[in-house]
């Protein structure tokens, strides 16, 4: 029994010693907070051990300090020039900036809440070859450019990935909410997802282009129209020849003050995965209000709008007592 007591006392002493050592050792220091740099509406959050930011006129200069792109220098700029940040435009700029490279592949990639259009130029097909990078993104009618200085390409080939990660951590204020109004129907939309334009001047017919990264950058759109119709929501003449709908439903969040659209989903008969066509119709006081995605674009088409983005437009629509003078209302 005495031996057992001594063993328990020895074990308790060891536990106390270990506890004392744990309390005596100071806790490890937390990682340093991220630094920030701002240009336009974008704020970049970065580790100062990996990047160095410096002001450069109205823009920024970002120097990569991490091993995957050490020494590469990017010039960040912003300008009021929407609709110029597409794949073709980026390819042409990359060809001018890096004429020695013979390959300039361009991709649209999601970077956080943004869509980064990125060209990674190389010599030949070897993916381990040093990479020249040029990229841009559009945000709230402004274009942000990220251009590597050719003389700083160095020996590394992962500068594009480092830039993508940096942009994915960027933040921006909430996007503006604008509205389209046709006769007595008003539809709010986020300018982060949609860009509105008039399709047929003088007629209540609008077009909402779906923007990346919500849509893939291949021209997804929704038309909104208001046309006199004596017989209610009869099949849209533009849908003649399409197969019968396989779903008829109403918006999920329809309430007593929400107009009840009839929503028709038409799936493609193709073996390939092709986005379906969606059409919503509301008949009110002799007018057929329609919200519809683009028609079927063939069996190799990805010309679609996500179901959630379409449903948000339909669910947000409201009937108002009188028609305005202009189809657009001010952003809020």
């Amino acid at each position: 029994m005495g031996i057992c007591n001594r063993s328990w006392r020895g074990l308790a002493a060891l536990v106390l010693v270990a506890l004392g050592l744990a309390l005596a050792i100071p806790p490890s220091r937390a990682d340093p907070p991220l630094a920030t740099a701002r240009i336009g509406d974008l704020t970049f959050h970065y580790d100062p051990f990996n990047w160095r930011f410096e002001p450069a006129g109205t823009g920024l200069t970002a120097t990569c300090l991490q091993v995957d792109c050490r020494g590469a220098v990017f010039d960040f700029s912003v300008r009021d020039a929407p609709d110029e940040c597409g794949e073709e435009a980026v390819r042409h700029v990359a060809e001018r900036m890096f004429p020695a490279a013979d390959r300039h592949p361009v991709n649209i990639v999601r970077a956080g809440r943004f869509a980064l259009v990125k060209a990674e130029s190389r010599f030949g097909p070897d993916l381990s070859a040093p990479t020249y990078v040029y990229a841009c993104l559009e945000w709230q009618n402004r274009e942000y450019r990220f251009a590597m200085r050719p003389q700083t390409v160095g020996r590394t080939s992962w500068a594009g990935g480092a830039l993508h990660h940096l942009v994915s951590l960027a933040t921006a204020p909430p996007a503006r909410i604008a509205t389209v109004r046709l006769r007595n129907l008003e539809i709010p939309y986020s300018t982060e997802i949609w860009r509105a334009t008039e399709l047929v001047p003088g007629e209540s017919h609008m077009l909402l282009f779906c923007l990346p990264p919500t849509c893939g950058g291949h021209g997804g759109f929704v038309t909104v129209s208001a046309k006199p119709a004596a017989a209610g929501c009869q099949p849209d003449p533009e849908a003649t020849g399409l197969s019968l709908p396989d779903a008829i439903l109403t918006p999920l969040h329809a309430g007593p003050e929400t107009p009840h659209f009839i929503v028709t989903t038409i799936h493609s008969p193709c073996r390939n995965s092709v986005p379906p066509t969606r059409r919503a119709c509301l008949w009110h006081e002799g007018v057929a209000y329609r919200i519809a995605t683009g028609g079927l674009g063939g069996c190799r088409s990805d010309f679609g709008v996500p179901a959630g983005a379409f449903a948000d437009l339909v669910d947000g629509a409201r009937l108002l007592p009188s028609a305005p003078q202009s189809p657009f209302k001010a952003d809020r």
Side-chain angles (χ1 to χ4, degrees), residues 86 100 257 289 316 322:
E257 299 180 358
Y289 296 95
S322 60

Side-chain angles (χ1 to χ4, degrees), residues 234-260:
Q234 295 298 318
D236 188 346
E238 298 176 0
T240 301
L242 294 177
S243 59
L244 293 175
D246 64 1
I248 298 179
L249 49 100
T250 54
L252 297 177
H253 305 294
E257 299 180 358
T258 302
H260 287 253

Side-chain angles (χ1 to χ4, degrees), residues 103-116:
R103 296 182 64 251
H104 308 276
V106 180
N107 292 287
I108 299 178
V109 293
R110 179 184 287 272
R113 66 186 296 189
F114 309 108
L116 190 67

Side-chain angles (χ1 to χ4, degrees), residues 259-284:
H260 287 253
F261 282 85
I262 297 175
V263 179
T264 304
T265 302
I266 305 171
H267 289 278
S268 167
C270 300
R271 295 175 61 185
N272 295 337
S273 177
V274 175
T277 296
R278 295 182 171 87
R279 303 180 185 276
C281 183
L282 167 72
W283 188 76
H284 178 73

Side-chain angles (χ1 to χ4, degrees), residues 9-10 14 17 69 74 82 98 109 119 145-147 156 169 183-184 188 193 224 228 248 264 271 275 280 287 307 321:
R9 286 197 297 269
L14 288 174
V17 170
C69 59
F74 289 89
F98 317 121
V109 293
R145 294 188 168 195
F146 313 95
T156 60
L169 300 179
R183 296 180 182 257
N184 291 356
I193 301 175
V224 184
I248 298 179
T264 304
R271 295 175 61 185
V287 176

